């Protein structure tokens, strides 16, 4: 039933019309071309095939069908892309039936409670002179206050409580939303009182909680406000069915488009930092809402139901810059966040503030100063390498000790061997350390983890490898001659992408017509090869396909080398000398094969 609905939508819509609503397409032979929306380019390399209903970018390697484009462009999951395209096609989708209807009803109710509280607090703020004056004194324009729906919770204990009762909301549900608290004898009262209210939005702009700052004039007992004084500066909503602090980044709903367009995310510490930077025109900024950035805020997971609304940074960009406060807590947080991001494959830099305590203060001094600080961001490892000399300018021994303890452990997380070599050579030259010693220390740090790794633990394919896989797969489908040339050398393990691997297995089983009809990847791969044929001609295309295949072979042999290195490390660790010798012979053979394939590329 679901497959039939998807096909019905595809039959009713033309991919050229849909993509043409987003991009300025121009006719290019039988296809259409545009500037790619997913990476920066000046010459159009984004191609759309009306015949095959497929798109592909020859610049960044992205591609797919009509659903893949909407998911990528709108940054939504398949279910949401299905809704968007079904509406355009006039196809009625079956009613959504959640696995747990009662749980879904509760979540919907919590969203409604938070939305009502947001609108109510915002209206109160616009009429409260002191609260509004505080925000304006902090440099926020009225337009910004309205955009972020900032509000004010009055001093009374039952303002929101009674308003929700009037809406027939049960007190237990108010408490589940986190906006009221159950006191002694189960008497309920407002959680937020006398506070500036910053709504916390999920990825799609739904309010899932609040961060609330005490209004300074109400935190002073001498002001006669009736408050106790010395209250917590900020309090946040408790975790709920819809709010998980460890998975939420403040401002992501406003920043996502800019992050994708600029291919860069800036993470700051506080809400005011984030809002002030957005107001000044720096839109690719989010806040960690404190110093404890988590892995779930960086990378996308699918293990929990609520994560559908908390899409993380890894879907938007792999380039991240951190700017935490210069105090000790901020420095600790920066190191932890940088290490976490490195582990997840991000390119990591630090923004260093020299003339302000935080981004909010700096951007108020001058937006140009902030822009300069972002542009001059320091690579994560370069920062800690330079710190060795700053902390111990006249003590080479302490410098080496610092590097061993604080820097070398990070090198194990750098997957690119050339980048890793760069830092090893840099430290060796600057601090007069043997490269061999550094490499042994890295090996010592990584050995326990690497011993248990095998080929099955290989990372998902990088964009460069996946582009090669598409070209080779398309060549196999479209050209019998190419298939005949490489068939004896081609292995399943040459493909990293599970979908490409599955298509290859279907192809060698003789299911070529069924494969092309059923697989979006196969259709795109054929489109890639047909487009290359139009650009290069038959002879040049064959040469390119052969080169792409040889590069895939080299990549596969590199994986085998790594696998054998891990096996050798394990054998040596366990004292299994005979196994170690055999593995080293296998490693030498694989290395010889890799060299031969590399020579063939040249």
């Amino acid at each position: 039933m679901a497959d039939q609905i998807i096909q019905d939508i595809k039959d009713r819509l033309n991919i050229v019309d849909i993509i043409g609503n987003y991009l300025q397409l121009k006719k290019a032979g039988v296809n259409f071309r545009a500037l790619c929306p997913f990476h920066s380019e000046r010459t159009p390399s984004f191609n759309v095939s009306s015949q095959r209903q497929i798109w592909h970018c020859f610049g960044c390697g992205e591609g797919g069908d009509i659903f893949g484009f909407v998911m990528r462009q709108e940054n939504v999951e398949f279910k949401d892309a299905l809704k968007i395209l079904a509406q355009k096609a006039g196809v009625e989708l079956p009613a959504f039936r959640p696995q747990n209807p009662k749980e879904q009803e509760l979540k919907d109710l919590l969203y409604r409670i938070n939305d009502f509280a947001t609108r109510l607090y915002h209206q109160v703020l616009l009429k409260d002179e002191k609260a509004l004056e505080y925000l304006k004194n902090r440099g926020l324009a009225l337009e910004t206050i309205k955009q972020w729906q900032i509000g004010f919770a009055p001093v009374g204990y039952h303002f929101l409580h009674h308003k929700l009762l009037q809406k027939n909301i049960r007190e237990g549900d108010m408490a589940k939303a986190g906006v009221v608290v159950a006191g002694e004898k189960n008497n309920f009262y407002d959680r937020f009182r006398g506070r500036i209210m910053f709504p916390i939005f999920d990825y799609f702009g739904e309010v899932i909680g609040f961060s609330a700052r005490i209004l300074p004039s109400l935190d002073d007992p001498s002001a006669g406000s009736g408050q106790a004084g010395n209250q917590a500066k900020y309090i946040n909503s408790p975790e709920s069915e819809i709010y998980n602090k460890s998975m939420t980044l403040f401002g992501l709903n406003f920043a996502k488009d800019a992050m994708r367009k600029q291919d860069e995310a800036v993470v700051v510490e506080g809400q005011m930092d984030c809002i002030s930077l957005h107001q000044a025109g720096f839109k690719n900024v989010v806040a960690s809402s404190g110093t404890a950035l988590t892995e779930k805020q960086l990378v996308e997971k699918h293990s929990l139901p609520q994560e559908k609304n908390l899409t993380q940074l890894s879907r938007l960009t792999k380039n991240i810059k951190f700017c935490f406060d210069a105090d000790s807590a901020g420095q600790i947080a920066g190191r932890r966040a940088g290490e976490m991001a490195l582990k997840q494959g991000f390119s990591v830099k630090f923004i260093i503030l020299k003339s302000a305590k935080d981004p909010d203060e700096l951007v108020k001094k001058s937006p140009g100063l902030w822009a300069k600080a972002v542009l001059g961001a320091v690579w994560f490892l370069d920062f800690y390498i330079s710190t060795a000399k700053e902390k111990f300018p006249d003590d080479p021994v302490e410098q080496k000790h610092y590097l061993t303890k604080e820097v070398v452990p990070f090198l194990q997380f750098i997957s690119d061997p050339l980048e890793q070599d760069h830092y090893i050579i840099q430290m060796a030259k600057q601090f007069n350390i043997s490269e061999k010693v550094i490499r042994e220390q890295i090996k010592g740090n990584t050995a326990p983890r690497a011993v248990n790794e095998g080929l099955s633990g290989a990372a998902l394919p990088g964009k460069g490898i996946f582009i090669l896989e598409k070209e080779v797969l398309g060549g196999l489908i479209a050209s019998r001659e190419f298939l005949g040339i490489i068939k004896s050398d081609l292995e399943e393990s040459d493909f990293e992408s599970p979908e490409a691997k599955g298509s290859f297995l279907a192809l060698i089983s003789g299911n070529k017509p069924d494969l092309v009809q059923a697989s979006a990847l196969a259709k795109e791969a054929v489109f890639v090869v047909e487009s290359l044929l139009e650009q290069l001609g038959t002879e040049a295309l064959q040469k390119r396909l052969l080169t792409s295949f040889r590069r895939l072979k080299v990549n596969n042999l590199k994986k085998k080398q790594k696998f054998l290195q891990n096996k050798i490390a394990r054998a040596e660790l366990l004292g299994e000398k005979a196994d170690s010798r055999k593995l080293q012979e296998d490693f030498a053979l694989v290395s010889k094969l890799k060299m031969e394939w590399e020579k063939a590329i040249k």
Side-chain angles (χ1 to χ4, degrees):
M1 180 68 178
D3 289 342
Q4 184 57 49
I5 290 172
I6 292 169
Q7 190 57 51
D8 193 14
I9 292 171
K10 287 184 175 181
D11 290 342
R12 295 191 187 196
L13 298 176
N14 187 327
I15 194 170
V16 175
D17 296 332
I18 296 300
I19 295 181
N21 290 328
Y22 295 93
L23 309 177
Q24 187 175 353
L25 295 175
K26 293 183 178 179
K27 200 83 166 66
V30 296
N31 300 319
F32 293 83
R33 194 169 293 162
L35 290 171
C36 180
F38 308 129
H39 79 286
S40 180
E41 65 176 8
R42 294 183 179 180
T43 303
S45 56
F46 182 96
N47 288 259
V48 183
S49 169
S50 176
Q51 179 185 359
R52 296 193 175 276
Q53 294 293 294
I54 287 291
W55 61 275
H56 177 81
C57 176
F58 287 89
C60 64
E62 296 284 353
D65 61 9
I66 194 171
F67 287 95
F69 177 81
V70 171
M71 289 171 67
R72 189 78 169 80
Q73 177 69 25
E74 298 285 352
N75 223 357
V76 296
E77 294 183 356
F78 178 79
K79 185 180 73 174
D80 300 296
L82 184 65
K83 289 179 183 177
I84 293 169
L85 291 171
Q87 186 177 22
K88 291 181 182 295
V91 172
E92 186 175 348
L93 296 176
F96 171 65
R97 294 180 182 177
Q99 292 182 341
N100 190 332
K102 288 187 177 180
E103 182 180 311
Q104 188 60 46
E105 285 178 15
L106 174 60
K107 289 181 179 180
D108 291 341
L109 177 59
L110 300 188
Y111 281 122
R112 292 200 301 272
I113 291 172
N114 281 333
D115 178 67
F116 176 79
T118 299
R119 289 184 285 109
L120 184 63
Y121 287 145
H122 183 61
Q123 291 304 315
V124 172
L125 173 74
L126 296 180
K127 297 175 183 177
D128 191 292
E129 293 183 5
K130 287 186 177 180
L132 202 55
E133 182 183 10
Y134 166 77
L135 290 174
K136 289 182 177 179
N137 287 339
R138 290 293 306 267
L140 296 189
L142 184 59
E143 181 182 353
T144 301
I145 293 169
K146 289 181 177 180
Q147 179 190 6
W148 292 76
Q149 288 291 290
I150 302 171
F152 179 65
V155 173
Y157 276 76
H158 298 285
F159 172 73
L160 180 60
H161 176 213
H162 287 165
K163 293 287 186 182
L164 288 170
L165 285 175
Q166 293 171 16
K167 295 288 183 180
N168 297 318
I169 302 296
R170 293 179 297 185
E171 291 174 319
D173 292 329
M174 299 181 205
K176 288 176 182 177
V179 295
V180 303
V181 178
E184 294 181 7
K185 299 180 181 180
N186 216 29
N187 294 321
F188 290 87
Y189 60 91
D190 288 357
R191 177 181 298 274
F192 305 109
R193 305 177 306 281
R195 290 181 176 271
I196 301 293
M197 303 295 292
F198 296 95
I200 300 171
F201 300 93
D202 69 10
Y203 185 82
F204 295 105
E206 297 276 2
V207 179
I208 54 178
F210 297 93
S211 182
R213 191 204 192 284
I214 188 69
L215 191 63
S217 63
L218 296 177
D219 195 33
D220 181 4
S222 64
S225 63
Q227 299 293 301
N230 297 319
Q231 300 185 70
K233 186 176 180 180
Y234 278 94
I235 60 173
N236 297 317
S237 294
E239 297 209 345
S240 69
E241 288 292 320
I242 61 173
Y243 176 49
N244 185 323
K245 184 178 180 180
S246 69
M247 295 163 58
T248 306
L249 284 164
F250 182 81
L252 186 57
N253 59 307
F254 294 113
K256 58 187 180 182
D257 291 338
M259 286 180 178
R260 184 170 59 238
K261 185 176 180 180
Q262 296 174 229
D263 193 20
E264 179 179 279
V266 174
V267 180
V268 296
E269 191 172 320
Q271 287 100 333
M272 280 300 299
D273 294 323
C274 180
I275 296 172
S276 293
L277 290 168
H278 273 256
Q279 179 176 271
F282 303 98
K283 305 292 187 182
N284 63 328
V285 182
V286 292
S288 61
S289 297
T291 56
L293 190 79
T294 70
E295 180 181 319
K296 292 177 181 178
Q297 290 170 326
L298 292 176
V299 296
E300 184 177 5
K301 305 285 185 180
H302 292 291
S303 57
L304 297 175
Q306 62 264 43
E307 288 187 294
K308 65 183 178 64
N309 286 332
L310 298 172
T311 310
Q312 282 75 29
L313 295 185
S314 60
R315 278 186 64 182
L316 301 167
T317 180
K318 295 297 280 187
N319 300 306
I320 191 167
K321 292 179 179 178
F322 293 108
C323 186
F324 289 159
D325 292 352
D327 57 20
S328 59
Q331 290 177 5
I332 293 171
R335 179 182 173 83
R336 181 176 178 275
E339 178 180 355
M340 198 180 305
L342 271 184
K343 287 180 181 178
Q344 298 304 329
F346 284 87
S347 294
V348 186
K349 289 185 176 183
F350 280 162
I351 299 171
I352 310 299
L353 302 184
K354 297 181 180 179
S355 58
K357 70 178 188 300
D358 56 35
D360 179 36
E361 180 180 309
L362 185 63
V363 80
K364 284 183 173 62
K365 283 184 177 181
S366 166
L369 289 176
W370 170 257
K372 185 177 180 180
V374 173
L375 191 63
V378 180
W379 287 104
F380 177 75
L381 283 176
D382 286 336
F383 173 81
Y384 284 103
I385 291 171
S386 63
T387 299
K389 286 194 172 182
E390 292 174 5
K391 292 188 74 170
F392 310 103
D394 302 314
D395 194 335
V397 175
E398 284 296 336
Q399 289 175 2
K400 293 174 183 178
H401 179 71
Y402 176 88
L403 290 171
T404 301
K405 182 181 177 183
E406 303 293 341
V407 180
V408 171
F410 289 137
L411 294 177
Q412 64 180 296
F413 304 126
I414 299 177
S415 58
D416 185 344
L418 292 177
E419 185 180 354
Q420 191 182 77
D421 272 359
H422 163 78
Y423 283 111
I424 292 172
I425 295 168
Q426 179 182 340
M427 286 192 292
K429 286 183 177 179
Q430 286 189 20
F431 298 92
N432 194 27
I433 307 173
S434 165
E435 287 185 30
K436 182 180 179 182
V437 170
I438 298 175
R439 294 183 194 280
E440 286 176 352
Q441 288 179 333
I442 296 170
K443 185 178 179 181
N445 280 321
T446 59
R449 184 169 61 94
V451 159
N452 297 316
E453 289 181 351
L455 285 176
S456 61
L460 289 174
K463 284 185 179 179
I465 299 301
F466 198 27
I467 292 171
L468 295 177
E469 291 184 6
K470 288 178 181 178
E471 290 188 12
V472 172
L473 181 61
L476 292 172
I477 297 170
S479 171
R480 287 185 179 181
E481 182 183 354
F482 179 60
L483 175 60
I485 293 172
I486 71 169
K487 189 174 183 179
S488 60
D489 293 313
L490 192 62
E491 301 174 84
E492 179 186 346
S493 57
D494 290 329
F495 296 95
E496 287 189 13
S497 160
E499 190 179 357
K501 193 172 292 188
S503 296
F504 164 71
L505 291 174
L507 181 65
I508 60 175
S509 300
N511 296 328
K512 178 176 174 180
D514 295 338
L515 168 67
V516 178
Q517 185 175 359
S519 170
L521 177 63
K523 288 180 182 178
E524 184 191 346
V526 172
F527 175 44
V528 168
V529 171
E530 289 176 344
S531 299
L532 288 172
L533 176 61
E534 187 178 333
Q535 296 173 33
L536 304 175
T538 304
E539 187 177 345
L541 173 62
Q542 286 291 345
K543 288 182 180 178
R544 173 156 176 161
L545 291 176
L546 281 171
T547 299
S548 296
F549 167 65
R550 289 162 181 162
R551 285 177 175 164
L552 271 188
K553 293 298 297 185
V554 169
N555 180 68
N556 184 23
L557 291 166
K558 283 180 179 178
K559 288 188 295 179
K560 289 181 178 180
Q561 280 183 322
K562 185 175 181 180
F563 174 67
L564 289 169
Q565 283 174 331
N566 293 336
K567 296 272 284 185
I568 291 168
R570 177 183 175 83
E572 290 178 348
L573 191 66
L574 299 176
E576 298 171 344
K577 294 183 179 179
D579 288 346
S580 177
R581 282 195 297 271
K582 177 63 171 64
L583 289 167
Q584 287 175 3
E585 290 173 3
D586 292 341
F587 182 82
L589 179 60
V590 170
S591 299
K592 181 182 178 183
L593 285 172
K594 184 171 79 72
M595 288 180 63
E596 290 174 357
W597 282 107
E598 285 173 337
K599 287 179 180 177
I601 293 173
K602 297 174 183 178

